[in-house]
Amino acid sequence: MATAAATDTIFETPPRPPNRIWTLAEGRAMFELGAFFMSRPLLAHLPKGDGHAVKVLPGFMASNSSTVPMRRLLARLGYDAHGWDSGRNIRVDNALIARLEAQLMRLNDDSGRKVSLVGWSLGGVLARELAKLHPDRVRLVISLGSPISDDRNHTNASRLFELLNGKEPEPMRGGRFRRLDQAPPVPTTSILTKTDGIVHWRGSVQKPGATPTENIEVYASHCGLGVNPSVMLAIADRLAQPEGHWEPFAPPAATRWMFPKTALD
């Protein structure tokens, strides 16, 4: 967890994309995928779920296929894991938001229980905004390498995003998505890596909010966050908390080495 002074320093730093070295090294995500499959016997022993619904949102330009490994793991751990019903994550418009809301309401109504949201990159931004719209239906939000600083200059995908969505996507023109840096009114976790090659890690650090918030640092690439074993450990730990009894992340001693304790400034 960042101290108040460190957090202030973060948001005073001029936003910029990641160093090109990390961008060129994003291919290491293939090794993270390999590590995921090799560690499946160990991942099967992660904390078991209570059966509540978990909706997983893919990153920019990605589809449900990118979150299949994560969702299969969550299902094996006992969760009712779902992808989203919106195809490839390209256009952020009112139609997309309406579909996300409808799916959230359906999952909540069918189970009678709040839904947890896990979003990768842009998917995390959407998950947080969805939780702001319907906090009574959301249990918690976990974002993975998401650009939540409210400044697109933290990501090197900003030009492509604006080419496809304009400077102000349709929801922004309607008054939504105006304070991306403000956490939703539910427990919220941002998982980030300082070696992210797509979104500068400073853009993923969230400010303390009125409701529980935290930042968890891992050793990972941006494209590997959805399969990295340490990320799976953190996600499973967060989801396994009893509803209404949130505590900050504290990894077991045996896995503490997977979570660097560097200053987020």
Side-chain angles (χ1 to χ4, degrees), residues 207-260:
K207 300 176 181 179
T211 50
T213 60
E214 65 182 346
N215 300 292
I216 300 176
E217 185 183 354
V218 295
Y219 298 109
S221 65
H222 182 87
C223 295
L225 282 166
V227 292
N228 187 287
S230 62
V231 177
M232 299 304 104
L233 190 156
I235 290 175
D237 179 272
R238 303 291 77 200
L239 292 176
Q241 298 177 100
E243 185 175 347
H245 295 277
W246 187 92
E247 294 290 340
F249 180 62
T255 59
R256 203 166 294 158
W257 63 272
M258 302 171 74
F259 302 94

Side-chain angles (χ1 to χ4, degrees), residues 153-172:
N153 289 322
H154 278 297
T155 171
N156 55 24
S158 60
R159 290 185 180 179
L160 179 58
F161 177 84
E162 291 176 359
L163 177 65
L164 297 170
N165 291 277
K167 288 282 186 180
E168 285 200 345
E170 193 174 19
M172 291 184 68

